[in-house]
Amino acid sequence: MSADHEHAGPHGYSGDKAALLGRLRRIEGQIRGLQRMVDEDTYCIDVLTQISAAKSALHAVAVGLLEDHLAHCVVDAARAGDPTAKVKEASDAIARLVRS
């Protein structure tokens, strides 16, 4: 996060914060499971499969946050008159997601 971003809440995800936190806790559990798999010398392909699942889960959370950002922050900026900075912010986030 950079200092030039407006962080005044509530954010787009605020209404569904409990669900978002639940998803992140499940992902955290997946990561702990990966650590356990490596500690127990689990077969490489099985570990890689679980890494892929964790990445997919994180990607789904990221897409949901991006949708919330577009629906709330960008729309609010457009209503206020100048969405340029918020659109750029969203475009940059999309570019990072596509690269990952």
Side-chain angles (χ1 to χ4, degrees):
M1 281 184 260
S2 76
D4 61 336
H5 292 184
E6 283 187 35
H7 296 288
H11 299 290
Y13 61 79
S14 295
D16 209 17
K17 193 173 185 177
L20 176 60
L21 288 170
R23 291 178 83 179
L24 290 169
R25 283 188 199 99
R26 282 192 296 280
I27 293 167
E28 181 182 23
Q30 284 181 289
I31 302 304
R32 274 193 248 103
L34 280 164
Q35 292 171 328
R36 192 170 36 257
M37 290 173 80
V38 170
D39 187 51
E40 295 171 358
D41 294 319
T42 302
Y43 184 57
C44 302
I45 298 300
D46 294 338
V47 175
L48 290 169
T49 298
Q50 289 307 309
I51 289 172
S52 179
K55 282 180 64 175
S56 293
L58 274 173
H59 184 79
V61 168
V63 168
L65 285 171
L66 182 59
E67 289 172 350
D68 287 342
H69 180 70
L70 292 171
H72 294 79
C73 301
V74 175
V75 168
D76 289 348
R79 286 185 184 133
D82 187 12
T84 306
K86 294 294 181 186
V87 169
K88 171 78 169 110
E89 200 175 54
S91 295
D92 292 346
I94 292 166
R96 286 190 301 272
L97 282 173
V98 170
R99 283 193 304 266
S100 66

